[in-house]
Amino acid sequence: MKILVIGSGGREHALAWKLAQSPRVKKVFVAPGNGGTAAMPHLENLAIPEIERLADFCVAEDVHLTVVGPEAPLAAGVVDHFRERRLRIFGPTRAAAQLESSKAYAKDFMQRHGIPTAQHRTFTDPAQAHAYITERNCALVVKADGLAAGKGVVVAATPDEAHAAVDDMLERNTYGVQHGEDGARVVIEDFLEGEEASFIVLVDGTRVLPLASSQDHKRLRDGDQGPNTGGMGAYSPAPVVSPEVHARVMREIIMPTVQGMAADGNPYTGFLYAGLMIDRQGHARTLEFNCRLGDPETQPILMRLKSDLVHVLDAAIDGKLDKLELQWDRRTALAVVMAAPGYPETPRLGGAIEGLPAPAEDLQVFHAGTRLDGNVLRTAGGRVLAVTALGDSLRMAQQRAYAGLRQIRFEGMQFRQDIGWRALKR
Ligand code: AMP
Ligand code: GLY
């Protein structure tokens, strides 16, 4: 059978790599794909940007199912469109994808359904937002409402920083956020203390199948310093998600979300990613929802997944997730992202990439922002590669990933030296 993956990042390379391992799969198309998916056996890149034409392609090629990587096509309604054409696709509808595409929608939803999250208010009027900051007088987080590709969130230690963030977002749109019809909005919420984790599940409308836990490293520099990025590295499993925390997150966050969406007449299908803040007592609160897999969390998660992913996605599309149990490699997987110089603000692209280590059972280099220029592989995006390794312990996975990474060279490459530090410190 043939499969289509929509997207071009490391997450999509990992999805395509994993799907191609299914004995039933002959070909995985990746639209548009990257330099990694261009060069792998059984994968083929497709230069078809329009949803309509992708649907035509799936009909013509008899594609068995489509899986969507990034949020933008989901928020644009790719799932609604494919379903209208009776094509099998895994992801949330445009309406359900609002859990990610609108922070105001997500916060309102959580409040209505009693899902633990930080106290918040939403504003369109700068004067009211400034008054609220003065009144709260505590550490706050200011978030632009709308898709901002991981930017547009300012953690403000002082009221002055929060005031400045409101001006940037409501008056100047400094982060270039895509606004809804009613213009710029900001969500201002209390700062939560604790350790973050990524909790990702598959949802078939009513039933839920959790993936292995993971943890991302969102800041650019070691020790979680510097600007926020799309993610500089990740590992799975995340020890902060103990069995007790896992049970609690399922009970207090995931199930009420899935039931709440169904009760609102907006049933959720697809991957659902809850970004959690877990405090010392093991209470988890939701920082955000994403309506997709995480990047780079997917890379270590899929390195550990032993089950046939085609079988899993089929069950999810057919509403049969209760019939499945996932098999996991007991080892730890860890991914280190290599980014272009100037990332995240202004990545400088086009440099030649050399020294990629050969893939092995315990080492894969997933491509993100790369392209093939003849026989030369070049950087073509802010995040370039995710060097992903398996090891019997987190330390061993880390050593293996960094040993692979040290063979790779491109001009101005940036990477963190400390991926996994929180788990090692425990
Ligand atoms: P978001 O896009 O909402 O997940 O925010 C991006 C990052 O900002 C998160 O991964 C956290 O590191 C941080 N963050 C967001 N909201 C909060 C909060 N209420 N308290 C503490 N940190 C936060
Ligand atoms: N790694 C964070 C995300 O995918 O949103």
Side-chain angles (χ1 to χ4, degrees), residues 11 216 218 230-231 273 288 290 292-297:
R11 166 185 49 211
D216 182 17
K218 291 221 170 92
Y273 167 144
E288 62 164 350
N290 294 317
R292 52 173 175 79
L293 286 165
D295 189 343
E297 291 94 323

Short mmCIF file of all heavy atoms in Angstrom, two decimals, residues 11 216 218 230-231 273 288 290 292-297, ligand 2:
data_model
loop_
_atom_site.label_atom_id
_atom_site.label_comp_id
_atom_site.label_asym_id
_atom_site.label_seq_id
_atom_site.Cartn_x
_atom_site.Cartn_y
_atom_site.Cartn_z
N ARG A 11 9.94 15.62 12.30
CA ARG A 11 8.80 14.78 12.70
C ARG A 11 8.29 13.98 11.51
O ARG A 11 8.03 12.78 11.62
CB ARG A 11 7.70 15.71 13.24
CG ARG A 11 6.34 15.09 13.40
CD ARG A 11 5.32 16.16 13.82
NE ARG A 11 5.41 17.33 12.97
CZ ARG A 11 5.13 18.57 13.37
NH1 ARG A 11 4.73 18.80 14.60
NH2 ARG A 11 5.24 19.57 12.53
N ASP A 216 10.85 17.77 25.99
CA ASP A 216 11.50 18.61 24.99
C ASP A 216 12.40 19.61 25.71
O ASP A 216 12.28 19.80 26.92
CB ASP A 216 10.38 19.33 24.22
CG ASP A 216 10.90 20.22 23.10
OD1 ASP A 216 12.05 20.07 22.70
OD2 ASP A 216 10.12 21.08 22.65
N LYS A 218 13.05 23.46 25.10
CA LYS A 218 12.56 24.52 24.20
C LYS A 218 13.53 25.69 24.04
O LYS A 218 13.48 26.39 23.04
CB LYS A 218 11.22 25.04 24.71
CG LYS A 218 10.10 24.01 24.58
CD LYS A 218 8.80 24.64 24.10
CE LYS A 218 7.78 23.59 23.74
NZ LYS A 218 6.89 23.22 24.82
N GLY A 230 11.52 26.05 18.49
CA GLY A 230 10.60 24.95 18.24
C GLY A 230 10.94 23.71 19.06
O GLY A 230 10.12 22.83 19.24
N GLY A 231 12.17 23.64 19.59
CA GLY A 231 12.63 22.48 20.36
C GLY A 231 14.02 22.09 19.93
O GLY A 231 14.26 21.90 18.73
N TYR A 273 -1.58 16.52 21.79
CA TYR A 273 -0.35 16.74 22.55
C TYR A 273 -0.68 17.74 23.65
O TYR A 273 -1.06 18.87 23.36
CB TYR A 273 0.68 17.30 21.57
CG TYR A 273 1.97 17.90 22.06
CD1 TYR A 273 3.14 17.72 21.34
CD2 TYR A 273 2.05 18.70 23.20
CE1 TYR A 273 4.34 18.29 21.74
CE2 TYR A 273 3.24 19.28 23.62
CZ TYR A 273 4.37 19.08 22.88
OH TYR A 273 5.54 19.66 23.26
N GLU A 288 -0.41 24.08 27.21
CA GLU A 288 -0.94 24.26 25.86
C GLU A 288 -1.36 22.91 25.33
O GLU A 288 -0.90 21.87 25.80
CB GLU A 288 0.14 24.83 24.93
CG GLU A 288 1.33 23.89 24.78
CD GLU A 288 2.25 24.18 23.60
OE1 GLU A 288 1.89 25.00 22.76
OE2 GLU A 288 3.31 23.56 23.54
N ASN A 290 -1.40 20.91 21.57
CA ASN A 290 -1.07 20.91 20.16
C ASN A 290 -1.91 19.81 19.52
O ASN A 290 -2.18 18.78 20.14
CB ASN A 290 0.42 20.64 19.93
CG ASN A 290 1.27 21.77 20.47
OD1 ASN A 290 0.95 22.94 20.28
ND2 ASN A 290 2.35 21.44 21.15
N ARG A 292 -1.22 17.82 17.11
CA ARG A 292 -0.27 17.11 16.24
C ARG A 292 0.78 16.47 17.13
O ARG A 292 0.80 16.71 18.33
CB ARG A 292 0.39 18.13 15.32
CG ARG A 292 0.95 19.28 16.16
CD ARG A 292 1.76 20.28 15.43
NE ARG A 292 2.13 21.37 16.31
CZ ARG A 292 3.11 21.33 17.20
NH1 ARG A 292 3.85 20.26 17.33
NH2 ARG A 292 3.36 22.35 17.99
N LEU A 293 1.67 15.70 16.52
CA LEU A 293 2.82 15.18 17.24
C LEU A 293 3.82 16.32 17.51
O LEU A 293 3.85 17.30 16.78
CB LEU A 293 3.52 14.11 16.41
CG LEU A 293 2.84 12.76 16.28
CD1 LEU A 293 3.45 11.98 15.14
CD2 LEU A 293 2.96 11.99 17.59
N GLY A 294 4.65 16.15 18.52
CA GLY A 294 5.69 17.14 18.80
C GLY A 294 6.90 16.94 17.90
O GLY A 294 7.17 15.84 17.44
N ASP A 295 7.62 18.03 17.68
CA ASP A 295 8.88 17.96 16.96
C ASP A 295 9.89 18.71 17.81
O ASP A 295 9.71 19.91 18.02
CB ASP A 295 8.71 18.62 15.58
CG ASP A 295 9.92 18.41 14.68
OD1 ASP A 295 10.99 18.05 15.20
OD2 ASP A 295 9.79 18.61 13.46
N PRO A 296 10.89 18.10 18.41
CA PRO A 296 11.48 16.79 18.06
C PRO A 296 11.02 15.59 18.90
O PRO A 296 11.64 14.54 18.79
CB PRO A 296 12.96 17.05 18.33
CG PRO A 296 12.97 17.95 19.53
CD PRO A 296 11.76 18.84 19.35
N GLU A 297 9.95 15.67 19.69
CA GLU A 297 9.57 14.53 20.52
C GLU A 297 9.30 13.26 19.69
O GLU A 297 9.57 12.14 20.13
CB GLU A 297 8.31 14.84 21.34
CG GLU A 297 8.51 15.88 22.42
CD GLU A 297 8.15 17.28 21.96
OE1 GLU A 297 8.40 17.61 20.78
OE2 GLU A 297 7.62 18.04 22.77
N1 GLY B 2 8.50 20.44 20.54
C1 GLY B 2 7.37 21.23 20.78
C2 GLY B 2 6.32 21.14 19.80
O1 GLY B 2 6.33 20.34 18.89
O2 GLY B 2 5.38 21.94 19.90
#
